[in-house]
Amino acid sequence: QVQLVESGGGLVQPGGSLRLSCAASGFIFEAYAIGWFRQAPGKEREGVSCITRGGTTNYADSVKGRFTISRDNAQKTVYLQTNSLKPEDTAVYYCATFLSLGIRGCPLQVTSYNHWGQGTQVTVSS
C-alpha cells in the first residue's frame, strides 16, 4: 500500500534544470524523512539529499549549491530542484522513506531507507 512515485525526469543539456517530484501515498507522510538517491550505470546507488519531518535538510557534497530539496506535507510530495546539471548527474533518481523517530537530521545511507519508488531517469547530455 505504500507508494512512492517519482516524476519530472528527462533529457536536459548541461547547465539545465529539472524539478523532480516524489508523490507519496499509503502512509503517514509527515512522520517520515524522505531521501533522494541516484544510481548511474555501473555505479552503486548513492544518497543525494534528504529532508526530515521538521524540514532539516542534508546534501551530498557533489550537489551542494545546485540541488534543493523541499516537502509539502499537505500534498504529500517531496521535490528535488536540480540546477546547473552536469553530465555526471545522469542517473535514475529514486525517493525513499526513513523512519526518523529519535534521529536528528537524516542520513544519506541507502540501507537506512525502507520504501522506494521506481525511479525517474535524468539524462544530462548535449
Side-chain angles (χ1 to χ4, degrees):
Q1 293 180 336
V2 174
Q3 296 286 334
L4 297 170
V5 180
E6 302 93 336
S7 62
L11 174 63
V12 297
Q13 294 183 336
S17 299
L18 288 171
R19 192 187 195 195
L20 309 183
S21 298
C22 172
S25 63
F27 65 101
I28 304 174
F29 177 79
E30 61 269 26
Y32 290 81
I34 304 294
W36 282 99
F37 299 80
R38 65 187 182 187
Q39 188 164 22
K43 298 181 65 177
E44 294 186 0
R45 192 169 300 187
E46 64 176 349
V48 175
S49 184
C50 59
I51 185 166
T52 70
R53 175 181 178 180
T56 300
T57 60
N58 193 13
Y59 296 92
D61 288 342
S62 60
V63 306
K64 286 181 180 178
R66 299 189 297 121
F67 291 8
T68 303
I69 192 171
S70 61
R71 68 189 295 162
D72 186 330
N73 288 340
Q75 295 185 357
K76 301 182 69 174
T77 302
V78 171
Y79 303 96
L80 186 69
Q81 179 68 45
T82 68
N83 298 328
S84 302
L85 285 163
K86 306 173 181 179
E88 50 263 47
D89 295 317
T90 295
V92 178
Y93 283 71
Y94 302 88
C95 61
T97 64
F98 173 67
L99 184 59
S100 58
L101 182 64
I103 303 297
R104 296 181 180 179
C106 54
L108 294 176
Q109 305 297 324
V110 169
T111 55
S112 294
Y113 288 74
N114 308 114
H115 296 283
W116 295 79
Q118 294 300 303
T120 185
Q121 176 71 51
V122 172
T123 302
V124 185
S125 177
S126 60

